[in-house]
Structures are given as C-alpha cells and as structure tokens.
Amino acid sequence: MEVRNKLYKNQGIHVITALFTVEEGITKVLLIKRKNNPFKGDWVLTGGALYNNEDLEEGAYREIKEKTGIENINIKQFKAFGKVNRSPVMRMVAIGFIGVIDWKSVKVLRETKNTSNADWFPIDKIPPLGFDHEEILHDALIQLQKEIVKSNILKSLFPDGVTLPELQKTYEAILNKKFDRRNFRKKMLNLDLIEDTNKVDKFEGNKPAKVYKFKENIKGKDIF
Amino acid sequence: MEVRNKLYKNQGIHVITALFTVEEGITKVLLIKRKNNPFKGDWVLTGGALYNNEDLEEGAYREIKEKTGIENINIKQFKAFGKVNRSPVMRMVAIGFIGVIDWKSVKVLRETKNTSNADWFPIDKIPPLGFDHEEILHDALIQLQKEIVKSNILKSLFPDGVTLPELQKTYEAILNKKFDRRNFRKKMLNLDLIEDTNKVDKFEGNKPAKVYKFKENIKGKDIF
DNA sequence: ACAAAAGTGTTGACTTTACACCCATGG
DNA sequence: CCATGGGTGTAAAGTCAACACTTTTGT
C-alpha cells in the first residue's frame, strides 16, 4: 500500500545492535564510523534500515555482517527507541538488540561502502555517538548486566569453554564488582547456566583449571 | 525525506497495548472489535498506527484514549514484533506495551469511527484475534507476570489502596497459583513494593483489613 | 454464639556470606 | 624450591516453606 496520510507517511525502522566483548577484563562495544550523512564521520552502533523482506532479527544480522563481516552470533532484542527526532532525516523507530562475541574470533572489521572504520571501545571511553546511540548503548549495557545472570548470552564469548577464574573476571568486568572466588563458584554452578566438561585449560596461573561450558537451554528461577 | 528505495519504502509502526484488569479473581484483557479492513469484525488489542509527531508512548496513549476513552494509566513497553507479513496491508512493525487498569474506573467503552465495540475478555477465553495479536497478547501476559513481582504496575488497579487478601487474590489470578496467606504477606512486605496506610477496609470477610498502597518508586533486588 | 475471613509466629530446611589454607604447575 | 593463581570447606546469618490457632465483625 502507498501511504498518503501525512500523519504517518515516510516512516522507517532501524535495527541497531550493541555488540559487546570482554577483552583482558575490559568490557568493550563495537562502534563503526559513518562514511555518509547524516552523522558523517561519527561513531555509531552497528545497524541500519530494516528491509521489507526480512524479520527484525534477520535485519540486525544482515547489518552486522555488512558492516563488520561478523557472522554466527546470538542477539537478543531488548527495547525500541522512538523519540520523534531521533533521526534528522525522517521518522525512524529503532529496534535495539544486544549481542556478545569473542573478540579473538573477529578477524576482519571491514571497510564497506557505508563505513570507513570499526573498532572495539571500552565502555568507559565511548566517544560522542551519532543519532540517539548513546541512549541505546546505555540501556543495552544495563540489559547485558541483567542477561548474564539469567541466560547463556555469554556463551558466544567462549566458543571453546571457559574456566571459572576467567568467567569470574568477565562477570566482574561487566558488572563492575568484585566477587569472592569460592562464592562465585557456588553461585555460578547454582544458577544452572554452565556445566562441567572433562577438559582443563590454563588461564592466568600455572595450575590447569577445569573447563566449563554454557548450557544450551536455561530455565530461569522464579521469585514466586 | 521521501523514501524511494523499494527495499524499505512504505514502512510503518504500530503501537499496541495489552490492557489488563483483574475482576473477581479473573484476569481479563481489553479487546476491541474492528470496524474496518483489514480484519474487519475481528477482535484485536488496543492500538493503531503511530503518528509522526508523537513518541512511542504518546502514540500508545492516544490510541487507548481514542478507541476506549480510557485516560491516565501507566503503560510499559515490552517488546517489538516485526515479522514480515504481520500486517497484510504493508510492512508494519508493532511496539508492544502492557498496562493495567481498574475495571471499575472505566465508565465508557466508546463506539468510535474505527471500533464498533470493546470489552474485557478473560485470558482463558480469548476469541481469535486479528493481525499477530495472539502472539503479542501471549508475550504480554508473560511480561505482566514478571512485572508484578518487581514493579508497581498493579498500582493503577487499586487507586484507593488494597488489602493484602485482595492483593493475594490478584496475584493468584495473574500467576495462576495459590499462596499461603502468612508467607504471601511476608513476601509482599519484603519485596518492598507496598507500604502500610492507616486505613482499614473490608474485602470478603466481616473483619476489616489493613489497607496498603503501592510505593511510587521501586528499587529492585539484585541477584549478584 | 456462630460463621467467615483477617491476622499472626515458629521450626526446620535451605541458601548466602565471610573467611584461610593446601595444591598443581612452570620457571 | 618458590611464586602464582586454582581449588576447596565450614560456621553463622539470613531466607524460605510449611503449618494452626486467635481475633474481629456481622448476622
């Protein structure tokens, strides 16, 4: 259908993903530099316009792949952003996603026709962002903090499994808190997010540590 | 801007609210009957097209007021729905909200130019719905169940405060579970959602019960 | 005085927190 | 053999689930 009514003609949808990683105990987010107007030269989160022939998640995946070359990650929709003037060009509503990825597995951050650069930024050193992406990133980080205690969203950070000391350092980075080693272990195993493998690996010390992996299906715990 | 590219021209945004109430221990949702195509004659959730001059929440409020006459409620955005063919007319993405309202305070369910009827339906007796509103309602109910244990979303159900037996019956209706009276009381007061008033009121028995009210600002409890 | 619902407290099971010592390995 | 981080147990405090009797009021 061709829209005539000025009240709601010329609307569009953005799919925007805050892609996080944790590197050496530092939480980082992937930003790309815009090559075109609006916000030419500004850093923004990964994303762009949704196509008519794709579902929301598909669009987000496509944008991630187009702008960064990254494939095969899990993302989770968390909120829509729709302030009237969030885009200077036309009325756009953004559907926000979060995703987590192992920075070691990202080989290529592509130069594409829409982006001139892409890089990981520590979340406490974020440059000014275009559109309303500072707001989206802020909410995305809060959502990430909620997700990691009730889902396997961190699974993709550790494709080969993870040791508990390594996992603890990751949680401490994302939640910005320190934990007791013994209690963290008990809590993690109790949350039912991870399970033992028979492997061991070395993290920071010389003593090999047991390797765990995130479960496929998580059943959250209820308050009532 | 006028959109030319066929990949993303003619898109639009719906704002859809699942408006709940609890009446006599039965959880109900407000449905309206469509007067026009598409889905003429079908029941749907409250909502419609977002205008260019309003934020998402404003649009949801306007639709609620236009279609039902209801004003002054709290709503909360919970999820976006964007399957390619969710609207047969053109590409529409729906932003879903939930809201709760005291059925006693709804005097008029209006006949408007777009709706021929509106009524509360028990959630286990929902007729076939137009668009993807069955999916939206399903997710909305799950969200409502999560919200009531961590926010004051039920506040608007009880504008004059609520007794604990009444509140318990409400929780049991929404969560579809029974609770022990003493433990429910302890849990509720511990969740820090409600506070004592000095009033008493009668609910089902002859003995007056203490009246509580929902707090304005809720600080949720953390798992870590 | 009786019926009907409101209010209240305790115990045992479990969970959470705080805390300190030994272990395995590489150099 | 020593330095580094990995692994483990316990006791005290707090939380949660199960359970029964007394109180208030209307009729």
Side-chain angles (χ1 to χ4, degrees), chain B residues 35-48:
Chain B
K35 216 171 194 169
N36 304 316
N37 273 317
F39 299 104
K40 181 173 176 175
D42 281 0
W43 293 95
V44 290
L45 296 169
T46 316

Side-chain angles (χ1 to χ4, degrees), chain B residues 1 5 7-8 12-13 15 22-23 34 40 49 74 82 84 95-96 100 104 111 126 140 165 171 176 178 212 215:
Chain B
M1 194 184 92
N5 192 329
L7 276 172
Y8 41 83
I13 294 112
V15 280
V22 180
E23 181 179 349
R34 285 180 64 84
K40 181 173 176 175
N74 289 319
V84 167
I95 314 298
V100 176
K104 291 189 292 296
E111 173 104 3
I126 302 293
Y171 272 73
N176 201 26
K178 294 285 180 187
Y212 295 79
K215 298 188 177 183

Side-chain angles (χ1 to χ4, degrees), chain B residues 63-119:
Chain B
E63 285 288 339
I64 293 166
K65 179 159 183 222
E66 273 182 15
K67 301 259 167 75
T68 68
I70 298 172
E71 280 187 271
N72 293 322
I73 62 171
N74 289 319
I75 60 176
K76 182 169 168 35
Q77 187 206 306
F78 73 97
K79 192 176 169 187
F81 298 82
K83 292 217 181 90
V84 167
N85 291 312
R86 59 169 296 282
S87 163
V89 179
M90 55 182 272
R91 181 64 191 279
M92 301 293 288
V93 170
I95 314 298
F97 293 81
I98 57 174
V100 176
I101 190 164
D102 178 22
W103 59 274
K104 291 189 292 296
S105 72
V106 181
K107 301 274 188 286
V108 185
L109 298 176
R110 283 198 201 154
E111 173 104 3
T112 73
K113 82 177 192 316
N114 293 317
T115 67
S116 59
N117 206 349
D119 207 353

Side-chain angles (χ1 to χ4, degrees), chain A residues 165 181-182 185-186 203-205 207 209-210:
Chain A
R181 208 158 67 238
R182 286 161 288 194
R185 185 177 221 92
K186 272 180 276 185
F203 179 47
E204 296 188 320
K207 179 173 176 179
K210 285 192 228 175

Side-chain angles (χ1 to χ4, degrees), chain A residues 7-13 90-91, chain B residues 11-13 50-52:
Chain A
L7 276 172
Y8 41 82
K9 83 184 279 198
N10 292 324
Q11 299 182 338
I13 294 112
M90 56 182 273
R91 181 63 191 280
Chain B
Q11 299 182 338
I13 294 112
L50 176 73
Y51 292 170
N52 281 323

